[in-house]
Amino acid sequence: ESTGESVDNALRAVVQALGILIGFGWEKSFDTAVAEVSEWTRVIPESVTKLVLALLIVLLVVPAWRLYILPTIVLYEKMEEEEEREEKEEFDEARTRALESGKTLEEFEALEVPLLTRERSSKKSHLIKPISGLEAVELQRKVKAYEEQIASLEEKNRGLEASLQEFVAELNELQQMADDLKQPA
């Protein structure tokens, strides 16, 4: 409640990653223990010892998982489903308010729906908007202004590159002078 949604998502990802790492750690521990015990036991064959130990581990771990871990996972999944349902309801309400206020669906999506979550349409014709004569003239004017700005920036860039080359040459001269002063006469 006191952190934002992005912080909550990041924390969930970190906790899940740590959970996976802990799981791999336990798996490696059990595997090493089974291997060591099966090598140490000489009464029955090693493969039978590994099978018996694996069954014992299952009998030990599965009930604990079922009683403690599984109910927690189910609770978290229910909480996440409830959060998603609430977010969808809020989104639907906002869309309804926008449409009632006279906005089109495209205007609402442009303002409210993140780009990466928008549904992709197989038809792209809705993206192409006819340009009126006035809009075309305005676009041509903007293109011309941008081209002039690019030319101006390229000229400035050439001047800065020349200044930089002069500066590097002066630094090289200063370095040479410093090296000459370091040498004993």
Side-chain angles (χ1 to χ4, degrees):
E1 301 272 332
S2 62
T3 60
E5 183 180 341
S6 61
V7 173
D8 290 344
N9 290 338
L11 288 173
R12 280 190 194 106
V14 168
V15 168
Q16 287 175 347
L18 289 174
I20 290 171
L21 288 173
I22 290 169
F24 281 132
W26 276 106
E27 188 275 331
K28 185 67 175 171
S29 298
F30 284 125
D31 185 51
T32 303
V34 166
E36 289 298 318
V37 169
S38 62
E39 284 180 16
W40 180 70
T41 305
R42 300 287 181 209
V43 179
I44 52 179
E46 187 176 327
S47 59
V48 175
T49 305
K50 285 183 179 182
L51 177 64
V52 170
L53 288 174
L55 291 174
L56 287 174
I57 290 172
V58 167
L59 290 174
L60 177 74
V61 172
V62 169
W65 172 82
R66 174 70 175 95
L67 292 174
Y68 300 106
I69 297 172
L70 184 60
T72 304
I73 291 172
V74 170
L75 176 67
Y76 284 140
E77 286 178 351
K78 285 181 182 177
M79 288 172 49
E80 285 182 4
E81 287 173 4
E82 180 66 22
E83 286 176 8
E84 288 175 3
R85 188 186 59 75
E86 288 174 1
E87 287 175 2
K88 184 178 183 331
E89 286 175 1
E90 289 174 9
F91 176 80
D92 290 342
E93 289 174 10
R95 183 176 65 191
T96 302
R97 284 192 307 272
L99 294 175
E100 288 173 355
S101 69
K103 288 184 181 176
T104 64
L105 190 57
E106 289 81 17
E107 290 173 329
F108 171 75
E109 287 181 350
L111 296 175
E112 296 296 327
V113 180
L115 291 174
L116 295 178
T117 59
R118 291 187 187 160
E119 291 183 20
R120 302 283 191 261
S121 172
S122 60
K123 295 182 196 175
K124 295 189 178 183
S125 61
H126 70 284
L127 298 175
I128 300 171
K129 180 175 120 180
I131 299 175
S132 67
L134 185 59
E135 290 175 335
V137 171
E138 179 65 21
L139 287 174
Q140 288 174 346
R141 187 189 63 74
K142 285 183 178 182
V143 167
K144 179 77 168 156
Y146 288 138
E147 287 173 346
E148 290 172 0
Q149 187 177 8
I150 288 170
S152 172
L153 290 172
E154 287 174 345
E155 182 62 35
K156 286 181 182 178
N157 191 35
R158 283 190 289 273
L160 288 172
E161 286 177 352
S163 296
L164 183 62
Q165 288 175 354
E166 290 174 10
F167 183 72
V168 168
E170 288 179 21
L171 279 177
N172 288 336
E173 288 177 20
L174 288 172
Q175 182 65 44
Q176 182 62 39
M177 291 170 68
D179 291 344
D180 291 343
L181 290 173
K182 284 182 184 177
Q183 293 177 356

